[in-house]
Amino acid sequence: MQDAVNVDDFRRIARRRLPRPVFDTLEGGAGDEYSLRGNRSAFDHIEFRPRPLADVSKRDLSTSVFGEKHALPIMLAPTGAGRLAHSSAELAVARAAARADAVYMQSTVAAFPPEQVAEASTGKLWFQLYLPRARDETADLLRRIESAGYRALSVTIDAPVFGNRERDARSRLLSRAPWHPQMLAHGIARPAWALDFVRGNFGPRRPGGKQRLTLGQTRSTIMNSSYSVTWEDLDHVRSVWKGPLMVKGLMRGDECARLADAGVDGVVVSNHGGRQLDGVPATVDVLPEVVDAAAGRLAVFLDGGVRRGNDVVKALCLGASGVFVGRPYLYGLAVGGEDGVYRVIELLRAELDRAMALLGAATVADLDRTLVSGARIPPTLSPSKG
Ligand SMILES: Cc1cc2nc3c(=O)[nH]c(=O)nc-3n(C[C@H](O)[C@H](O)[C@H](O)COP(=O)(O)O)c2cc1C
């Protein structure tokens, strides 16, 4: 792990360490993976235009979101499959995020229940919500989340059904039992991973709590054909949840005014890491449209394809209030548990700091659209940050 100097190195090590179907579950996208690739390659179409002669001798990476100061504009996105990478899963991720003073948004379908993760962490936790199918359970769930100490809530709106993940369909990882001969063969070929997986399922690190959902259940209980999040659902959530409320999975600007009117405080421009509707544009290409439409009434976050501190800088220049990463910390988790996640955040932090210095920006507030160029960036120069 010490040899890894960037996120891609972590990816390569994770690929060697994990059984192929497990790596594919974390790595893969939907359909032809057009949107998965696009998220990444779109960053290559944005270039920096450094501002010379700025005093960057002291840099400050902190940022303010929903009235709270954060040490970093880099946040950890919700992922429901962490336990495939490491038995400590969300416990390790939350601890690493706390050490790095980064926000961690926990998934509804995490292995460990929200209370257990909150107990393990001294950091800032946000919660990602898939609405329970029995909508009358929503208020109870939100009260649990609030009393566990989660400070902000994000409702995922891009997953009415499960995306067409063909890598998973091929490997049948999610439907095969661990004792299936092919799964056993994978385990024998990756004994360190297999031992950790067994320990996580049967040993002391086994998650407790009665409301836990397993990965296999995700398909049937949450993202099924009867799961939709509607405006009425949002109104209900807003009436129960008093803290900052976001929606995650917005890919167009024209809904922003209505979301703000509905009392939503922020949006995450996201295509679920290319795992849901294949064929949607790259998130960073949609970001300026959403930032302009939000017109300062909503905080706008981005995720998808961020693998470098430089990508974070580009998104911030285009008006993002913060940037989430998903797979990068999962690679860290697979490679080194809590320490691996921490190291990934620190690598991104160092790259962010260096890029800001070279660009001529001493603070996050100094980052604006004049510092980037690219054919896909609209010419508007809005004050941006929400
Ligand atoms: C393995 C995996 C599991 C995910 N699980 C969830 C989830 O439970 N809820 C959710 O809203 N998004 C989920 N996502 C999407 C992430 O929150 C995020 O949008 C995406 O990973 C960002 O793209 P990146 O991986 O390129 O950084 C998941 C992504 C991955 C890779």
Side-chain angles (χ1 to χ4, degrees), residues 14 40 43 52 102 118 175 182 208 214 227 233 301 333 343 384:
R40 188 73 214 101
F43 282 104
S175 55
Q182 241 169 327
T214 65
Y227 179 84
D233 290 319
F301 302 87
L333 185 64
R343 180 115 170 85
S384 66

Side-chain angles (χ1 to χ4, degrees), residues 25-28 36 39 77-81 107-110 128 130 156 158 223 248 270-275 303-307 324-328 330:
T25 288
L26 305 180
E27 179 80 348
L36 174 70
N39 278 351
T79 56
S107 165
T108 306
V109 291
Q128 174 269 323
Y130 285 128
T156 294
D158 62 4
M223 296 182 207
K248 174 173 179 285
S270 171
N271 56 26
H272 220 106
R275 293 162 71 82
D303 74 25
V306 174
R307 301 292 179 269
F324 287 90
V325 292
R327 293 178 185 86
L330 289 175

